[in-house]
Amino acid sequence: MLRDYDLNLLTVFDAVMTLGSVAKAADKLNMTSAAVSQNLSRLRDHVGEPLFVRQGRGIQPTQHAINMHKHVAEGLSAIRFGLEANTSFEPRTSTREFRIGGHAYFDLAVLPQLLSRLSDIAPRINVNLTPYEDNHFTPSQVLSERGADLFLSSLPISHPSIITAKVSEEALVVTYAKDHPRLKGKITLQQFFAEKHTALTSRRFGSFMFSNLIEKPLPARKVHYQSDSMLNLMATAAMTDLLCFTPKRLADLWAEKLGLNVQPLPFDIRPVPTFVCWHQAKQHDEGITWLREQIEDILQNS
């Protein structure tokens, strides 16, 4: 029966499963490695099944542990979120601090507009964005571990505890310096691939995303400068003869300030979707619902 279990054992088990290491779990929980191992042994005795096996210098979860962890993680998340639930929310007087996870791109494309809006309607609220790589696995882990209240992703998340809503699609464009020595207006396909390019060292709008959005194979771009910052790429394009492949939203925000021309791409390419994701345990949190509505309005109407 549940009353026979020490829930602290499940917390230790969740930390080891999530971090993949007794030592890392011990650091996170402020325990010794020996104490973590003792807790795992006690839980194994309760369950009556092996949970981990030795592998090299570490441990490997058994299939029973993997199956069990899905339910344990969801239960612990529900308990944590329930204890933190805040059903009453008034934006103008609230002092809550919200955490958003997502690609660093959103720090440029969404956060400035969101903070400007909050300064008028919710002046005491704090919002932080923590950058994460855009993939299928990170959002569910971050949201389940309470690393973020909302996660902005270009990929739909398939996880039983995560709610995902597609809120916008974003066109991609090419930008280049207004005083570019060879380009003055709309770019042809031949011109695009004849010129030198910047490239993002990231999955969202980098070569991975580029190749997955085009309808048919295209020639390789001549990449002469790479950075993990889209703003760095645009600034470099403004000061050189390099082209910058960028989201239209970001180009509209920064092109005039940087002295860039903005032109459509000379080939067909699908728009990039944006999904807002949150944990189902926070579905009725009025503050998170309100923040989500602000972000969706910015993404859809700016």
Side-chain angles (χ1 to χ4, degrees):
M1 296 178 64
L2 184 60
R3 67 185 180 186
D4 297 325
Y5 280 82
D6 179 353
L7 292 183
N8 289 322
L9 301 182
L10 299 180
T11 301
V12 172
F13 171 70
D14 177 56
V16 174
M17 288 293 293
T18 301
L19 299 174
S21 162
V22 168
K24 291 179 180 178
D27 288 340
K28 178 181 178 180
L29 299 172
N30 197 25
M31 299 170 64
T32 65
S33 293
V36 170
S37 296
Q38 289 170 5
N39 276 263
L40 293 178
S41 296
R42 289 177 58 199
L43 182 61
R44 178 198 61 207
D45 293 340
H46 273 296
V47 173
E49 293 281 350
L51 297 176
F52 297 93
V53 294
R54 290 285 179 186
Q55 186 175 66
R57 294 185 178 181
I59 58 174
Q60 184 75 20
T62 64
Q63 188 60 49
H64 185 86
I66 293 171
N67 295 340
M68 185 174 114
H69 181 244
K70 173 185 174 182
H71 303 289
V72 169
E74 291 177 6
L76 290 175
S77 292
I79 291 171
R80 291 172 185 141
F81 292 143
L83 292 173
E84 296 172 353
N86 184 354
T87 56
S88 179
F89 178 77
E90 172 51 52
R92 185 156 293 280
T93 59
S94 176
T95 59
R96 284 184 68 173
E97 179 172 335
F98 292 103
R99 293 164 295 178
I100 302 171
H103 193 278
Y105 159 76
F106 293 109
D107 224 345
L108 292 170
V110 175
L111 261 291
Q113 296 177 76
L114 178 61
L115 294 176
S116 176
R117 178 180 296 205
L118 296 188
S119 68
D120 293 328
I121 63 176
R124 302 172 68 187
I125 284 177
N126 291 320
V127 176
N128 297 306
L129 187 141
T130 301
Y132 292 96
E133 193 60 51
D134 209 353
N135 58 46
H136 286 286
F137 311 106
T138 300
S140 57
Q141 180 180 348
V142 170
L143 292 168
S144 295
E145 293 180 358
R146 299 180 299 162
D149 300 301
L150 296 172
F151 200 102
L152 304 179
S153 173
S154 59
L155 300 167
I157 306 306
S158 178
H159 189 282
S161 297
I162 306 303
I163 300 172
T164 301
K166 181 179 176 180
V167 296
S168 67
E169 288 188 333
E170 184 163 13
L172 299 170
V173 297
V174 59
T175 62
Y176 58 88
K178 287 188 175 180
D179 59 354
H180 195 285
R182 291 172 297 280
L183 304 175
K184 301 302 177 186
K186 192 173 181 180
I187 300 176
T188 66
L189 186 68
Q190 183 177 3
Q191 287 175 318
F192 182 87
F193 289 103
E195 295 293 334
K196 296 177 290 186
H197 289 251
T198 65
L200 190 68
T201 53
S202 165
R203 292 168 68 98
R204 181 172 172 83
F205 294 109
S207 58
F208 173 87
M209 184 63 76
F210 181 87
S211 63
N212 280 270
L213 291 173
I214 57 176
E215 299 294 339
K216 58 184 179 180
L218 292 170
R221 291 181 294 161
K222 301 174 183 178
V223 177
H224 282 244
Y225 172 67
Q226 297 183 63
S227 172
D228 61 359
S229 167
M230 186 64 76
L231 190 57
N232 284 353
L233 299 182
M234 294 175 68
T236 298
M239 300 177 67
T240 65
D241 63 350
L242 274 64
L243 305 188
C244 181
F245 169 72
T246 184
K248 186 176 185 301
R249 184 190 312 278
L250 206 58
D252 290 343
L253 287 171
W254 290 95
E256 193 60 37
K257 298 179 180 68
L258 294 173
L260 290 166
N261 274 323
V262 180
Q263 294 294 330
L265 289 165
F267 47 82
D268 292 332
I269 186 167
R270 293 189 298 276
V272 180
T274 295
F275 299 89
V276 178
C277 313
W278 64 97
H279 199 283
Q280 65 177 3
K282 293 198 173 186
Q283 173 73 350
H284 302 295
D285 185 312
E286 292 184 5
I288 291 176
T289 300
W290 174 85
L291 180 65
R292 191 174 77 242
E293 291 171 349
Q294 306 308 310
I295 292 172
E296 290 176 359
D297 186 59
I298 290 171
L299 288 169
Q300 292 169 358
N301 299 307
S302 61

